[in-house]
Each structure stands twice: as structure tokens, then as C-alpha cells.
Amino acid sequence: MDEQAQAAKKTLLRMIPYGLYVLGVRAGDQVSAAAINWVTQTSFQPPLVAMGVKKDSGAYALLKQSGQFALSFLESGQGDIAYAFFKPTTVEGSTINGQATETDQTGAPIIAAAPGYVEGKVVGEVDLGDHSCVVGEVTHAVLKREAKILTLDELGVKYGG
């Protein structure tokens, strides 16, 4: 691919709108949480989501072990929460990276301030590249309030390409 085509590819991939979410995982007494942005719904019956998860992350390692997850949806204005999860997980009591968390059916950490979350189990994976496309079946969902989703564009951050 020539230089012009590579530049076009990067620009076009960055034009895809991305929300920001926090993926929470628990395996035994170990927990991890990471900001992710490659998320989409892929089926109504059963309800499925596909998530791009960085393969060298602690969240991915625990996700592979446990097979379960919680995905907290972040709302516009919660950039501080997103930034807190751009770094490795630090747990102190019921906070992760300084953010209050709670648990529900899977036991995976959920961001307490999030407007909603889904929990689920891993049902498939496409393991190619530096991120794995993990397919999860949503088994539980909670909407605390309707909200506009936080996006990478709102934060002025580019991830892709």
C-alpha cells in the first residue's frame, strides 16, 4: 500500500464514531477494568455484543479465565472516568483507579457512576491482530438513566488506523 493510501486508511478508520466503555472482569479474587471503545451490538436474539480487547491487557487475561464480563457505559461529560481506565488497574477497597465500583450478577466491577451497564458471558472470539474481537452474550442489563454516550471525539482522542 502506498503512502497516500495508508494515510487515507488511517483517516477513514478514525472517522468511525466510537463510544467509551469500561470493561470490568473478575476471575476469582482478581479484578481488572479497562477503557475500551471498539464495541457494537451484533444480534438481537440472542443479544450479542462484539468488543475489541487489547490482548496484552490484564482485562483480556482475566476475561479469558472467567468467561464473564461487565460493560459500563460512560456518558458525555465522564471523560475523567474514561481517562482513569487508560492505565493499569489499581484496586483500593471498592474503588478501581480511584473510581467507585459496584458488582451485580457476574461479580465483575461496574462503574457506580455509569448510566447503565450490561453483563454477560463470552460466547466467541476472533483472535487476530493486537486486539481480539470478543463476542459476548448479554445476560443482564441495567439502565439507571438515559444518557448521551461519551465518545472519543468528545475527548479529542484518536484511536484507530
Side-chain angles (χ1 to χ4, degrees), residues 8-24:
K9 178 189 83 166
K10 282 187 173 190
T11 298
L12 289 169
L13 289 175
R14 288 183 178 146
M15 290 172 62
I16 298 171
Y18 296 114
L20 277 160
Y21 313 85
V22 175
L23 174 66

Side-chain angles (χ1 to χ4, degrees), residues 58-76:
Y60 180 72
L62 293 183
L63 184 61
K64 294 287 284 183
Q65 279 184 267
S66 71
Q68 296 186 89
F69 63 91
L71 188 64
S72 299
F73 290 59
L74 298 181
E75 68 184 302
S76 179

Side-chain angles (χ1 to χ4, degrees), residues 22-25 31-35 59 85 87-89 96-97 109 111:
V22 175
L23 174 66
V25 187
V31 298
S32 185
F85 293 94
K87 57 187 177 187
T89 301
I96 299 178
N97 295 3
I111 303 305

Side-chain angles (χ1 to χ4, degrees), residues 1 9 24 30 35 37 48 57 60 68 70 73 75 77 85 92-93 114 119 128 138 143 149 151:
M1 187 179 299
K9 178 189 83 166
Q30 293 185 312
N37 66 299
L48 300 175
S57 69
Y60 180 72
Q68 296 186 89
F73 290 59
E75 68 184 302
F85 293 94
E92 292 181 17
E119 293 185 287
L128 300 170
V138 174
L143 177 64
I149 198 77
T151 65

Side-chain angles (χ1 to χ4, degrees), residues 23 36 38-40 42 49-53 63 69-71 118 121-122 131-136:
L23 174 66
I36 65 171
W38 292 333
V39 175
T40 191
T42 61
V49 293
M51 305 173 285
V53 184
L63 184 61
F69 63 91
L71 188 64
V118 296
K121 61 183 179 181
V122 174
H131 287 64
S132 185
C133 179
V134 177
V135 180

